[in-house]
Amino acid sequence: MHHDASLLDALRAAIGAAHVLTDVADTAAYATDWRRLYEGRPAAVLRPGSTAEVAAVVRLCGAAGAALVPQGGNTSMVGGATPSESGREFVLSLGRLNRIRDLDPIDQTLSIEAGATLHAGQQAALEADCLLPLAIGSQGSAQIGGVLSTNAGGNNTLRYGNAREMVLGLEVVLPDGQVWDGLRRLRKDNTGYCLRQLFVGAEGTLGVITAAVLKLQPRPRQSALAFCAVASEDAALALFTRCHRADPAAVQAFEYMGGLGVALVLRHIPGTSLPLAMPAAHYALIELATPRADADLSAQLEALLAGALAEGIVQDAVIAASEAQAQAIWRLREEHSEAQKRAGASIKNDISVPVSRVPALLREARAACEALLPGVRVVAFGHLGDGNIHFNLEQPEAMAAADFLARDHEIMDTVNAVVRRLGGSFSAEHGVGRLKPYMMPDWRGGAELDLMRRIKQAIDPQDIMNPGKLLPPR
Ligand code: 2HG
Ligand code: ZN
């Protein structure tokens, strides 16, 4: 069952015995995912402190045919960083590679190691009066390597794109132990295949990202935030198009929240309150921002909301009057995951459709789920402005959590049938991980999956990098 003791000895010699964790008490936190969907059993947890040490670990494991599961902040929603139950896979934790290597305010680039948190990267950028424009709820724990390996999206995708769009350069340890130093910070560099993009979104199946050069943006000097009750799913979209038409360059975030999700946050997260007079069935959060100092975004947002109120698109709205109020409003959105976790079992559908079809998705997926499982509770929320909705579900009041979770494939497939009809994707921003490889043949079969398998075979012929994730078994 277990690996040769000599492999562990060699790993200890390579990275220091203190950084090879084998005691169950020490490895427990690395063995399970944030949602506790999976309970893995690592052979050991390896915590190298440099790129050279990562390479040494990969070489030793490769020579022994031992698999590695790269892990950052362990915030995956799809079990992408959790080892299997076999007891044979090593968790490769990047947390000690957490340095900011360089920040260049003229080039507008940040060179940062994989184990630094996204939040640390954001702070470094702010100190130089720049913006690292990726914003996700888990940014305090999520690490750069994981963010890139999953091509994270989040709240500002509509303006700045996903993680992929921010990557100028990468440093990667390949499955054969070679280090690829691709830490270039060039805006133009047409020299063949764009290799860095192969590793972004690969979920650790092709190699280990150890550092990256990220593209920064000008820091907003002004922002304005509104929380609105909207009349319907269509009204939410109409409000978004209004914002976009009025000033496309200023829309920083546009989030949708269904009534039940907000109610769960209010019930389970202490210190939260509804900033409107009455609860509603649909809410929208609008954030405008600009690097220009001379704009008046609050006035702009007020005018926009006044028009939308007059037309009955918006039923009620509040504009944050202070930074503290803005943060309180963002919490109503950002605490959805935590509130759902505290509320009990949930089935997540991280899906996307063209923005124009979000209302149809919300309506049709709800109808399909209610027909399948009467009484099921829909907790739908997400990034309306880029078409990515978290169409999550809680069990009917009278149903046991375990009975509900046992039907997860059936429920996900029901939602996905709607998503497919609307031209969407079964995985928008959380990735495929351990949860969704079974969906790959259906959604990405034929030439696409064949090409992915050939890439995997060419780069990691031994299948030592995060096996069982992303690609389905043959
Ligand atoms: C978010 O947008 C995250 O808050 C988590 O992507 C979504 O918990 C979820 O389903
Ligand atoms: Zn999200």
Side-chain angles (χ1 to χ4, degrees), residues 77 135-137 153-155 255 333-334 337 350 381-383 386 388-390 428-430:
M77 293 287 189
I136 59 180
N155 303 333
E255 297 283 316
R333 167 62 185 84
E334 291 291 54
S337 303
D350 165 45
F381 60 96
H383 319 288
D386 65 45
N388 170 202
I389 294 297
H390 301 298
E429 61 171 0
H430 296 169

Side-chain angles (χ1 to χ4, degrees), residues 142-459:
Q143 297 173 5
I144 296 295
V147 159
L148 297 182
S149 293
T150 56
N151 185 28
N155 303 333
N156 299 339
T157 294
L158 78 173
R159 179 156 182 176
Y160 303 105
N162 298 302
R164 188 182 291 294
E165 274 86 20
M166 294 156 210
V167 180
L168 292 177
L170 274 193
E171 179 186 84
V172 182
V173 174
L174 302 174
D176 63 4
Q178 282 190 87
V179 178
W180 171 44
D181 179 354
L183 287 175
R184 294 185 286 265
R185 50 170 143 159
L186 305 171
R187 305 292 169 140
K188 288 186 171 174
D189 177 28
N190 281 347
T191 51
Y193 304 138
C194 187
L195 296 178
R196 68 183 185 278
Q197 294 297 359
L198 210 47
F199 297 94
V200 178
E203 303 190 22
T205 62
L206 298 179
V208 187
I209 294 174
T210 49
V213 177
L214 304 178
K215 185 162 60 174
L216 303 177
Q217 298 289 337
R219 175 185 186 166
R221 294 207 175 82
Q222 244 196 64
S223 63
L225 185 72
F227 185 76
C228 318
V230 291
S232 63
E233 295 90 345
D234 290 291
L237 178 65
L239 185 58
F240 171 66
T241 26
R242 265 173 176 265
C243 295
H244 200 255
R245 284 207 190 110
D247 191 353
V251 186
Q252 186 84 351
F254 192 103
E255 297 283 316
Y256 168 84
M257 285 159 267
L260 185 54
V262 171
L264 287 180
V265 172
L266 297 174
R267 188 176 323 149
H268 292 285
I269 308 294
T272 55
S273 62
L274 188 70
L276 304 174
M278 299 259 291
H282 309 278
Y283 300 96
L285 179 160
I286 308 167
E287 185 169 81
L288 304 182
T290 175
R292 293 178 48 168
D294 62 350
D296 189 352
L297 287 183
S298 293
Q300 198 175 313
L301 190 53
E302 247 169 66
L304 201 136
L305 290 175
L309 270 159
E311 280 188 35
I313 293 171
V314 167
Q315 297 169 316
D316 192 9
V318 58
I319 295 181
S322 65
E323 180 54 35
Q325 212 183 345
Q327 276 175 17
I329 288 174
W330 262 116
R331 274 192 84 199
L332 292 176
R333 167 62 185 84
E334 291 291 54
E335 294 287 0
H336 267 63
S337 303
E338 185 61 34
Q340 268 209 288
K341 191 178 173 187
R342 292 186 193 175
S346 68
I347 292 173
K348 290 188 190 293
N349 293 282
D350 165 45
I351 54 188
S352 60
V353 292
V355 176
S356 59
R357 296 184 179 162
V358 168
L361 168 77
L362 290 168
R363 276 194 309 265
E364 292 174 28
R366 175 187 293 275
C369 289
E370 285 173 351
L372 179 76
L373 197 61
V376 73
R377 290 169 294 165
V378 173
V379 182
F381 60 96
H383 319 288
L384 187 151
D386 65 45
N388 170 202
I389 294 297
H390 301 298
F391 196 87
N392 298 349
L393 298 143
E394 307 262 324
Q395 77 265 32
E397 302 272 5
M399 191 174 193
D403 296 341
F404 176 62
L405 291 178
R407 298 184 66 179
D408 63 342
H409 281 205
E410 208 186 330
I411 292 167
M412 291 192 287
D413 294 348
T414 299
V415 172
N416 283 341
V418 177
V419 173
R420 188 189 290 270
R421 202 162 61 234
L422 295 173
S425 174
F426 68 104
S427 169
E429 61 171 0
H430 296 169
V432 176
R434 260 179 95 166
L435 186 65
K436 299 184 176 179
Y438 86 93
M439 300 177 189
M440 287 290 275
D442 216 23
W443 285 82
R444 297 288 179 263
E448 203 165 346
L449 186 53
D450 181 52
L451 201 48
M452 287 196 212
R453 286 199 195 281
R454 281 194 273 159
I455 290 168
K456 170 74 173 172
Q457 173 67 28
I459 298 178

Side-chain angles (χ1 to χ4, degrees), residues 14-37:
I15 65 173
H19 303 300
V20 177
L21 314 180
T22 50
D23 212 274
V24 181
D26 298 331
T27 61
Y30 302 85
T32 186
D33 59 307
W34 182 81
R35 296 174 64 193
R36 296 193 174 276
L37 278 184

